[in-house]
Amino acid sequence: MSNFLPEYLERLKKDTGVLPTVNQVELHPFFNQKEQRKYHEEHDIITESWSPLYRAGDIFKNEVLQSIANKYKKTIPQVILRWHYQLGAISIPRSSSPPRQLENISVFDFALDYEDMESIDKLTRPDGRINDQDPAVYEEF
Amino acid sequence: MNQQIPEVTLHDGLRIPSIGIGTATLRGIDGVSAISNAIENGYRLIDSAYNYENEGAVGEAIRKTSISRQALRITSKLPGRYHTYQNAVKTIQESLYRANLDYYDLYLIH
């Protein structure tokens, strides 16, 4: 599934008796999908994050992320992708550059501590979606 | 250089990597090159969609690398306009023809 809100998943379960193995949703530090992830966890659904790096926009200039990156001698994209990993979410960053492709998967040799995870968690905001694509009103047609 | 990416087990038993390569806008020969580079760099999960119009590039990239199809996890997605049963079946068949693949590991309702 992609972009299925908990109420759609509930309807699916009621009508068919099955739930998907994965649900791919918009997820990045500015929109952390706490409630959606909680529902997934309770129903054994793996969260997949689309636009995990916020399409490389302003997020790469974020001071909180930069200070965490400095602490671990990593880049901001690496800190963000490690955050997804520690949330238990599968991320699918897009890159056509081989060095950046490698950078994006070189995140398994360090771990963010609890305070770092909390600091990143606090970057989320209600209007944090990239293009205001709320699945309640937006359809991928 | 080749990185090992940890895997996650889905509730149906399928194991998929924790990080995959996103492919929206990666099309044509440049797309093939970007996606095959990703596979050579260690990526095993490839995220595509019917609406990205690049299932052909995904299939070609897979054929260009030395990694076996079984070692890869390929995703595509069913567009909103084809959600009825008959349309869904035809669209999945079309997705397979476009990629010249026998199966997708994940096919999401977009």
Side-chain angles (χ1 to χ4, degrees):
Chain A
M1 296 298 166
S2 181
N3 305 313
F4 267 56
L5 295 168
E7 59 254 42
Y8 303 162
L9 291 165
E10 277 300 309
R11 199 180 135 199
L12 183 74
K13 188 170 79 170
K14 191 167 148 278
D15 290 352
T16 69
V18 294
L19 280 171
T21 54
V22 302
N23 189 21
Q24 192 179 109
V25 296
E26 176 175 358
L27 172 55
H28 44 71
F30 293 159
F31 201 77
N32 71 19
Q33 295 274 16
K34 202 168 217 165
E35 290 303 309
Q36 181 92 37
R37 284 189 289 110
K38 183 164 174 279
Y39 180 91
H40 289 171
E41 265 169 45
E42 288 165 1
H43 294 84
D44 206 11
I45 296 168
I46 297 289
T47 303
E48 265 195 292
S49 314
W50 61 258
S51 290
L53 298 175
Y54 196 68
R55 302 204 176 144
D58 288 348
I59 209 162
F60 288 0
K61 293 178 193 141
N62 185 274
E63 285 174 16
V64 172
L65 294 170
Q66 188 60 61
S67 72
I68 297 172
N70 294 345
K71 177 174 160 187
Y72 295 99
K73 296 188 168 58
K74 289 284 178 182
T75 63
I76 286 182
Q78 287 173 325
V79 166
I80 298 172
L81 293 168
R82 179 72 200 186
W83 172 78
H84 285 275
Y85 177 63
Q86 290 185 211
L87 292 180
I90 292 172
S91 53
I92 42 170
R94 180 187 72 211
S95 175
S96 56
S97 141
R100 208 161 295 133
Q101 289 173 352
L102 268 178
E103 175 187 335
N104 287 345
I105 51 175
S106 303
V107 300
F108 302 109
D109 56 353
F110 76 112
L112 300 169
D113 62 30
Y114 179 78
E115 285 75 26
D116 301 326
M117 291 297 285
E118 289 289 294
S119 307
I120 300 173
D121 204 47
K122 288 192 189 114
L123 297 175
T124 202
R125 45 189 207 228
D127 63 347
R129 287 185 185 276
I130 294 168
N131 286 328
D132 198 23
Q133 290 178 3
D134 181 349
V137 289
Y138 176 84
E139 187 172 7
E140 199 69 49
F141 215 62
Chain B
M1 234 193 317
N2 195 304
Q3 300 280 323
Q4 279 292 329
I5 303 173
E7 291 183 327
V8 173
T9 304
L10 307 183
H11 74 230
D12 65 355
L14 184 72
R15 294 177 64 79
I16 64 172
S18 298
I19 297 182
I21 185 81
T23 69
T25 74
L26 304 181
R27 300 168 60 213
I29 195 163
D30 293 343
V32 170
S33 156
I35 297 162
S36 59
N37 273 323
I39 297 171
E40 298 294 346
N41 274 335
Y43 286 80
R44 295 292 176 267
L45 172 66
I46 302 172
D47 187 79
S48 175
Y50 190 90
N51 274 354
Y52 299 169
E53 298 185 89
N54 67 355
E55 290 159 316
V58 168
E60 183 61 16
I62 293 167
R63 285 184 293 280
K64 279 189 78 168
T65 66
S66 55
I67 305 302
S68 74
R69 171 68 186 88
Q70 293 87 335
L72 297 168
R73 299 288 180 263
I74 315 299
T75 301
S76 192
K77 310 188 194 82
L78 181 71
R81 64 187 183 279
Y82 294 138
H83 281 185
T84 65
Y85 182 81
Q86 281 304 332
N87 274 329
V89 170
K90 279 183 211 168
T91 305
I92 293 166
Q93 290 164 342
E94 182 62 27
S95 280
L96 289 166
Y97 294 144
R98 287 180 178 190
N100 196 12
L101 291 174
D102 297 327
Y103 66 98
Y104 285 94
D105 299 274
L106 290 163
Y107 202 85
L108 310 184
I109 298 178
H110 211 167

